[in-house]
Amino acid sequence: MNDDCQKSLNLEQKKAVTHGAGPQLVIAGAGTGKTTVIINRIAHLISSKTAKPEEILALTFTDKAAEEMESRVDQLVPYGYVDVSIATFHAFGDRVLREHALDLGLTSDYRILSIAEQLVFFREHIFQFPLKHYKSLSDPTRHIEALLAVISRLQDEDIGAENYLKWAAKTKNKEHLEVGQVYKKYQALKMEKGFLDFADQVGLVLRLFRKKPKVLKKFQEKYKYILVDEFQDTNYAQFELLRLLAGKRANLTVVGDDDQAIYKFRGAAISNIINFEKVYKKTKKVVLCDNYRSSQIILDTAYRLIQHNNPDRLEIKAKIDKKLKAAAAIPNKKVQHLHFDKVASEADAVAKIIKEKGGNLSDFAILVRANAAAEPFRRALNMLGLAHKSPNEQGLYSFPEIKLLISFLRVIGDLADSASLYNLAVSEIYQLNPLDLQKINTFASRRNYTLHQVFSRLDAGGEYDILNDISAESRATVKKIMDDIKYYLGLAKEKSTGEVLYLFLKKTGLLARLSKEENLKNEQRLKNIARFFERVREFKEIAQVDRVCEFVKHLGVMREAGENPETVLVDNDLDAVNILTIHKAKGLEFKVVFMVSLVADKFPVRHRKDPIELPQALIKEDIPDKDFSLQEERRLFYVGMTRAKEELYLTSALDYGGKRSRKVSQFILETMDMPKADISAIKTSNRDQIELFAPIETENYPLLKKLKKGEPLPLSFYQIDDYLTCPLKYKFVHVLRVPLLPNHAIIYGSALHSAAQAYDLARLNNNNFTQKDLGEALLRNWSSEGFISTEHEQQRLAKAKQALKLFFKKEQKSKRKIKFVEESFSIPKQNIIIRGRFDRVDELAGKIYIVDFKSSEVYKQEDADERVKNSLQLALYALAWKEKFKKMPYRLELYFLESGLVGSIEKTEKDIDKAWEKVLVVAEGIRTFNFTAKPNYRSCSYCAYNEICPASAV
């Protein structure tokens, strides 16, 4: 690590960074620079030659945190490419499992189920589970969420299905036995179908390491130094994984703060950090107390609160001083508690304070315990014309364009759904006259008819004569709607949900209109539609039958379970007041913070037991005997307080609706050191209270995320290639993610590639892999979508099988040793990060061959050689290898699977320089938001977006 970096650290940070071998616990209070310590320790380990980059593993909890850490390491370490493994626990586990899947009886092409997909999977197989107590014939899916939750908690506690069943048998408790049987069946079904869930990415790695000591030893030898961020958020199983990886060497540095442990509901075990020294007796301990964020008075007030968690805090148990000291010169302004008569008065006052203070709106944050508490504050900010940004409280499904898509699907999936047909009729697609529609709807309601029935018989006469005053224009619109419904019903019999939905967007012209009329609102609408298509695609990959009617049922289950994906994140550069839950605010900081709705039962929330409780006897965490949930709430309150840099307001009100007045939160009394609440309440005028009910802006379309000045730009080969082909295509694909129909060529190529990858991984790990296994891998990754006809699909499948037969025969004779399969790289250079992965890297007689597989129809050697010669992709691979290993690869190859031909070339430094010049052109265009189309007949002919592109040359 260079001297400049050393100078920027305080004494305790330097101790943590320069720690030698063995276990280290860094207790890093709020705002003390814990991530700075981790990245500087990585740099120190490398620069001092204590460890090679590839011998370091850094683990954290979110993709965002991992990306930020990777970016900061890239900037800090001046040694070219740094091959440090920085990942989330789940991503690391996935990497291990992909490589050693066969050792566990898995296939390397397994699929990870999201929480929403777990619900779908369980519902799809509901009658295969041995349900009795947790069975409801009237509502078979009633207990699914609760059962999955307790299974996930069991996995967090490192309790397998067999062990749980043994324990349940001893208790002779029928409900526990049933949960155990369901757990066992759920795991078996997932394995049978080639699915895993998030908990498996840790649990199965533990099983692998325990079952295969040689595999464990390989990873112990590979990773000589392990660092963990936010250690207080680890669960029992994750700590067990760390202990196995660290082994006897125990070069394990963990960084965290027990006072910021706020994820018990996700299975986090605070005892991991509390008891770390008991597990590792020779632990070196460093306490970071210099706070670079907040004023001393804010820190002292927060400390007063958190001491109410004594004696169960690390400060008491380890006999250390954790009191934070302000290291920055920030004016001390008293923490204020404001108490109001009604929530409307509270919200109004917060908005007025923000307006009166002036300055940048993004310096202000309103922190809520739960999203439901945010609405009055949005209304108050609206009334004063103050911009605000927050995750939409209803998520993706609340946006008009998504409501439209859902209404369409429901109309096709259920002809009796009058509400959805009503919404579809008045939408921007059909624009049926609202007055005429209301007359029709009233007629239908009074006769207990569905809207679909009335639309179908509008000109039938008889009792329908009462609707004679419906205009001719409206009648034509109704006919158009009914004709379209008939058309899409026909499609829905044979086609998947995604295909039907895409054709609706295309036939109605909505997709083309949003793509051609360029503005921020349309761009955001396209991104939301793309997110919804992701949900449709996820359903297809997990459902036994993908049809619109089944997707509609699935969507209903998801929404009942509270699943509603967030929309695209707001641009952080947008000057607007931040409204966030405290969980979302963790890791952030603001000049002025308002913690609102601070009353009993809102904060702290009343503890609610899980529908199916994890038996206390099985919980391996050492939990305090009393007030554990209250302690977690107090830690959450502490996290909220320590987000504030200069000013902190705590607000509450007597009336939040309901008959009873609310008591001020006990946390305010503890924070302000008050014996009892000051119940004198500030009131607002009746007029202002009425104004607070002005409509909220529902179309909250945030700006798209832009690169900040100096922010590194990550680029893959496909992004570079798409931009060079046409900048507008790049925007459609990588910025807006405009949805497309499944393409048979992509499905064909992906299935071939996945099968070859499965074979290569087996060879890499010396596992047996037959030609039959290769064929099965192809079928697992095959999809019938996108093919012109059944005959077309059968011909392509036969071609794929033939190609793999040729591949298998050729590879069995190969004398090369496989060195890497799907090896990722990340190359920082000139504020650009080139990211990608090598399909395969071979070694023969010490020479390196980088192989990329192609499914293209190339049947002449001269054509294969020409493709290799002009390949920008291979030039970038050569660049990546040179930066990573400080030498050029021997050969680079394109392996054409259909013909078995291989084009091979030795790329030179000159080739790399030419490729980099193209990368710089692309980077400059993206940074300046230059997405001007480059139409030409050939490119446009092959472009999937030519029908919606305003600049298409075809």
Side-chain angles (χ1 to χ4, degrees):
M1 185 169 60
N2 59 43
D3 291 337
D4 290 339
C5 291
Q6 286 273 14
K7 289 176 184 177
S8 67
L9 302 176
N10 63 43
L11 183 61
E12 294 303 305
Q13 288 176 329
K14 285 179 184 177
K15 282 184 186 178
V17 165
T18 57
H19 167 70
Q24 177 180 215
L25 171 62
V26 181
I27 303 156
T32 57
K34 61 181 178 56
T35 307
T36 296
V37 165
I38 290 175
I39 63 171
N40 277 278
R41 176 155 176 76
I42 292 171
H44 171 74
L45 289 171
I46 297 168
S47 63
S48 64
K49 299 191 176 174
T50 305
K52 297 175 183 177
E54 61 269 21
E55 294 174 338
I56 301 171
L57 172 65
L59 295 173
T60 186
F61 281 85
T62 65
D63 291 327
K64 182 181 177 183
E67 287 173 10
E68 180 187 351
M69 194 182 296
E70 188 173 86
S71 175
R72 289 176 66 178
V73 169
D74 287 341
Q75 293 175 49
L76 183 65
V77 183
Y79 315 111
Y81 179 80
V82 181
D83 194 19
V84 178
S85 293
I86 299 175
T88 64
F89 275 89
H90 292 117
F92 170 73
D94 189 61
R95 194 183 307 162
V96 174
L97 290 177
R98 298 278 178 195
E99 192 172 325
H100 292 278
L102 292 177
D103 290 314
L104 287 169
L106 290 166
T107 59
S108 60
D109 51 5
Y110 63 78
R111 190 178 184 284
I112 300 295
L113 300 176
S114 68
I115 294 172
E117 290 170 328
Q118 287 176 256
L119 287 165
V120 177
F121 180 76
F122 202 111
R123 183 173 69 87
E124 290 274 315
H125 300 87
I126 187 75
F127 295 108
Q128 293 178 250
F129 289 100
L131 295 172
K132 291 181 181 177
H133 178 78
Y134 294 109
K135 184 176 184 178
S136 169
L137 290 176
S138 61
D139 181 9
T141 62
R142 180 187 298 173
H143 302 292
I144 290 178
E145 195 175 4
L147 286 164
L148 286 172
V150 75
I151 288 171
S152 178
R153 285 289 291 114
L154 285 164
Q155 290 173 291
D156 290 343
E157 293 290 328
D158 191 23
I159 300 169
E162 294 293 346
N163 288 337
Y164 183 74
L165 272 171
K166 286 178 184 177
W167 175 86
K170 291 178 183 177
T171 68
K172 297 181 181 179
N173 181 298
K174 291 182 180 179
E175 292 173 27
H176 289 321
L177 278 168
E178 185 172 326
V179 170
Q181 290 162 354
V182 169
Y183 183 9
K184 184 178 180 180
K185 184 65 177 179
Y186 174 64
Q187 296 297 83
L189 279 172
K190 282 189 299 174
M191 292 285 282
E192 179 187 325
K193 302 293 182 181
F195 296 134
L196 300 182
D197 57 31
F198 290 120
D200 290 325
Q201 291 177 305
V202 174
L204 287 179
V205 176
L206 282 173
R207 189 199 297 180
L208 173 69
F209 285 169
R210 289 163 179 163
K211 182 181 175 183
K212 301 282 184 179
K214 287 184 179 179
V215 176
L216 172 60
K217 186 179 180 182
K218 182 181 89 169
F219 283 97
Q220 286 176 335
E221 290 176 351
K222 179 176 182 180
Y223 296 118
K224 294 180 179 175
Y225 285 84
I226 302 170
L227 302 94
V228 185
D229 193 11
E230 304 285 11
F231 183 65
Q232 76 279 353
D233 294 335
T234 54
N235 59 39
Y236 181 87
Q238 287 165 336
F239 193 17
E240 285 296 293
L241 177 59
L242 289 172
R243 291 172 67 177
L244 285 175
L245 276 172
K248 292 180 180 178
R249 191 187 290 125
N251 289 331
L252 176 62
T253 293
V254 300
V255 185
D257 179 16
D258 62 303
D259 290 332
Q260 297 186 76
I262 59 173
Y263 290 108
K264 176 63 181 173
F265 68 94
R266 291 183 185 171
I270 192 174
S271 61
N272 287 351
I273 192 169
I274 297 287
N275 297 326
F276 188 79
E277 287 184 276
K278 291 181 181 179
V279 176
Y280 292 103
K281 307 293 184 185
K282 297 180 180 179
T283 295
K284 295 291 183 181
K285 189 165 53 192
V286 178
V287 183
L288 305 182
C289 290
D290 289 343
N291 175 283
Y292 296 91
R293 177 187 298 153
S294 306
S295 69
Q296 191 62 54
I297 198 166
I298 289 174
L299 297 176
D300 290 346
T301 309
Y303 185 65
R304 187 185 301 133
L305 167 86
I306 203 62
Q307 283 183 298
H308 285 268
N309 273 357
N310 290 342
D312 297 315
R313 295 174 57 243
L314 192 56
E315 184 172 36
I316 305 303
K317 290 180 177 290
K319 298 178 181 178
I320 56 176
D321 182 6
K322 286 187 61 186
K323 189 173 182 181
L324 299 177
K325 304 173 189 68
I330 299 174
N332 273 312
K333 294 185 180 181
K334 185 179 178 182
V335 175
Q336 296 191 54
H337 171 222
L338 303 177
H339 188 54
F340 300 89
D341 60 335
K342 297 180 180 180
V343 64
S345 307
E346 179 188 5
D348 190 30
V350 168
K352 283 183 177 177
I353 291 170
I354 293 172
K355 186 156 190 173
E356 288 168 3
K357 285 187 176 295
N360 295 326
L361 293 177
S362 56
D363 289 336
F364 297 88
I366 298 172
L367 303 185
V368 295
R369 175 62 182 82
N371 274 322
E375 184 174 335
F377 299 91
R378 276 192 281 262
R379 290 184 185 278
L381 293 169
N382 280 344
M383 191 177 77
L384 295 183
L386 299 174
H388 54 88
K389 55 186 178 183
S390 64
N392 188 284
E393 77 276 16
Q394 294 178 313
L396 181 69
Y397 303 147
S398 67
F399 282 90
E401 59 274 12
I402 306 306
K403 287 181 177 178
L404 168 61
L405 301 189
I406 291 173
S407 291
F408 164 72
L409 291 173
R410 283 180 168 164
V411 166
I412 303 305
D414 180 5
L415 296 180
D417 189 338
S418 294
S420 293
L421 181 54
Y422 186 101
N423 293 336
L424 185 65
V426 295
S427 71
E428 60 187 294
I429 300 296
Y430 295 106
Q431 300 180 38
L432 181 59
N433 182 285
L435 180 59
D436 284 343
L437 178 56
Q438 191 55 46
K439 290 177 183 177
I440 297 170
N441 194 48
T442 301
F443 174 85
S445 298
R446 288 178 178 173
R447 288 159 179 78
N448 204 26
Y449 293 160
T450 67
L451 198 55
H452 184 275
Q453 287 174 313
V454 179
F455 272 16
S456 301
R457 298 177 56 80
L458 194 56
D459 296 319
E463 64 177 327
Y464 287 87
D465 285 343
I466 197 172
L467 296 174
N468 281 342
D469 61 337
I470 301 297
S471 70
E473 183 181 356
S474 292
R475 289 176 183 276
T477 302
V478 168
K479 185 178 185 308
K480 167 68 174 167
I481 293 170
M482 297 310 294
D483 287 346
D484 284 354
I485 289 174
K486 185 178 180 181
Y487 170 75
Y488 294 117
L489 281 171
L491 289 177
K493 291 177 183 177
E494 301 293 335
K495 295 191 178 295
S496 67
T497 307
E499 288 176 297
V500 174
L501 188 60
Y502 179 83
L503 290 169
F504 170 74
L505 285 172
K506 186 177 176 182
K507 189 171 185 287
T508 58
L510 181 60
L511 197 59
R513 187 163 68 252
L514 295 178
S515 302
K516 290 177 181 178
E517 297 172 10
E518 292 191 40
N519 56 57
L520 289 173
K521 179 177 176 179
N522 282 351
E523 288 186 357
Q524 186 61 43
R525 294 180 77 186
L526 278 170
K527 295 196 84 169
N528 285 340
I529 290 171
R531 286 289 308 280
F532 187 72
F533 264 87
E534 287 175 18
R535 280 301 192 262
V536 173
R537 177 185 54 77
E538 288 169 359
F539 172 75
K540 173 188 171 45
E541 293 185 8
I542 200 71
Q544 291 181 310
V545 178
D546 177 19
R547 292 293 181 265
V548 171
C549 58
E550 293 300 318
F551 178 79
V552 168
K553 290 177 192 174
H554 152 66
L555 194 60
V557 172
M558 295 299 96
R559 297 190 73 173
E560 284 173 17
E563 195 275 340
N564 195 345
E566 289 184 4
T567 51
V568 180
L569 293 178
V570 177
D571 181 2
N572 290 330
D573 293 332
L574 181 65
D575 188 32
V577 178
N578 302 274
I579 306 177
L580 295 164
T581 64
I582 299 175
H583 283 102
K584 289 286 185 185
K586 191 170 185 292
L588 303 177
E589 57 185 44
F590 308 94
K591 279 188 181 179
V592 184
V593 167
F594 297 85
M595 293 178 65
V596 300
S597 302
L598 304 181
V599 293
D601 295 338
K602 280 185 172 288
F603 204 166
V605 297
R606 186 175 296 178
H607 177 63
R608 291 183 176 87
K609 290 186 176 182
D610 293 327
I612 303 175
E613 286 274 289
L614 184 67
Q616 195 70 30
L618 294 177
I619 297 176
K620 297 173 183 176
E621 182 182 5
D622 181 17
I623 295 177
D625 292 334
K626 60 177 183 176
D627 298 332
F628 187 71
S629 62
L630 184 64
Q631 288 182 0
E632 174 109 346
E633 286 289 293
R634 191 176 283 116
R635 290 193 293 269
L636 185 61
F637 202 97
Y638 174 83
V639 166
M641 294 179 73
T642 52
R643 300 310 95 198
K645 295 164 73 174
E646 297 180 6
E647 295 183 73
L648 175 62
Y649 290 83
L650 309 175
T651 70
S652 56
L654 288 168
D655 183 3
Y656 288 87
K659 296 179 180 179
R660 295 183 181 180
S661 295
R662 298 296 188 107
K663 292 181 180 179
V664 170
S665 168
Q666 72 178 83
F667 295 157
I668 288 182
L669 307 185
E670 294 169 0
T671 298
M672 308 302 291
D673 200 19
M674 298 163 61
K676 62 178 182 179
D678 178 3
I679 59 172
S680 58
I682 305 168
K683 297 184 179 181
T684 193
S685 70
N686 292 330
R687 171 67 182 272
D688 284 348
Q689 289 186 38
I690 293 169
E691 287 293 331
L692 286 172
F693 286 90
I696 289 181
E697 177 62 51
T698 55
E699 293 190 5
N700 178 24
Y701 293 99
L703 294 172
L704 297 180
K705 178 100 171 62
K706 295 181 181 179
L707 283 171
K708 294 179 181 177
K709 190 174 182 180
E711 183 179 350
L713 175 65
L715 288 173
S716 69
F717 162 70
Y718 293 104
Q719 289 174 307
I720 294 166
D721 186 56
D722 283 339
Y723 191 91
L724 290 172
T725 301
C726 175
L728 186 55
K729 179 185 179 183
Y730 170 91
K731 184 177 182 180
F732 283 156
V733 177
H734 303 287
V735 179
L736 303 179
R737 292 184 169 86
V738 178
L740 288 170
L741 269 178
N743 182 279
H744 62 83
I746 293 174
I747 289 167
Y748 175 80
S750 176
L752 269 180
H753 186 280
S754 296
Q757 178 190 338
Y759 172 88
D760 290 338
L761 278 171
R763 261 189 65 193
L764 176 69
N765 293 295
N766 298 314
N767 295 127
N768 186 42
F769 201 87
T770 65
Q771 190 170 326
K772 181 182 177 183
D773 294 327
L774 194 60
E776 289 173 353
L778 173 72
L779 293 176
R780 281 195 305 273
N781 290 279
W782 191 265
S783 171
S784 297
E785 278 194 304
F787 291 96
I788 298 169
S789 64
T790 303
E791 185 181 14
H792 179 221
E793 181 191 355
Q794 290 173 346
Q795 288 176 354
R796 292 298 276 164
L797 183 58
K799 196 75 172 176
K801 289 178 179 177
Q802 183 182 341
L804 289 177
K805 186 176 180 180
L806 181 63
F807 168 79
F808 184 82
K809 185 178 180 181
K810 186 172 182 177
E811 289 300 310
Q812 289 293 96
K813 295 178 181 178
S814 176
K815 295 180 180 179
R816 293 184 189 177
K817 177 186 175 183
I818 295 180
K819 189 176 178 68
F820 297 120
V821 176
E822 291 293 314
E823 179 75 1
S824 61
F825 58 80
S826 179
I827 309 299
K829 185 174 180 178
Q830 293 181 243
N831 215 25
I832 299 167
I833 301 174
I834 302 296
R835 289 179 178 164
R837 61 182 64 230
F838 307 116
D839 281 358
R840 196 175 81 191
V841 178
D842 294 344
E843 188 174 12
L844 181 64
K847 296 176 179 177
I848 295 297
Y849 298 78
I850 297 176
V851 183
D852 194 72
F853 293 107
K854 298 294 181 186
S855 58
S856 316
E857 295 179 344
V858 173
Y859 288 94
K860 294 180 180 179
Q861 187 62 51
E862 56 265 34
D863 292 340
D865 293 339
E866 186 68 19
R867 291 279 292 273
V868 166
K869 181 181 176 182
N870 297 322
S871 176
L872 173 63
Q873 184 176 15
L874 292 184
L876 292 175
Y877 284 174
L879 166 68
W881 190 268
K882 180 176 179 291
E883 292 291 328
K884 190 169 183 176
F885 296 102
K886 307 306 175 191
K887 61 181 181 180
M888 294 288 286
Y890 175 62
R891 304 289 289 181
L892 296 107
E893 299 178 343
L894 292 181
Y895 190 140
F896 296 95
L897 289 165
E898 270 202 10
S899 62
L901 292 176
V902 176
S904 180
I905 195 170
E906 180 180 352
K907 291 287 184 180
T908 64
E909 297 271 1
K910 188 176 180 181
D911 294 324
I912 289 178
D913 292 340
K914 285 182 179 178
W916 188 249
E917 287 174 11
K918 293 181 179 180
V919 172
L920 292 175
V921 170
V922 171
E924 177 62 20
I926 293 171
R927 287 187 189 279
T928 57
F929 267 57
N930 178 9
F931 300 121
T932 305
K934 291 193 335 190
N936 68 69
Y937 187 81
R938 180 175 175 78
S939 296
C940 291
S941 295
Y942 288 101
C943 180
Y945 298 100
N946 59 35
E947 290 187 24
I948 64 171
C949 178
S952 176
V954 296

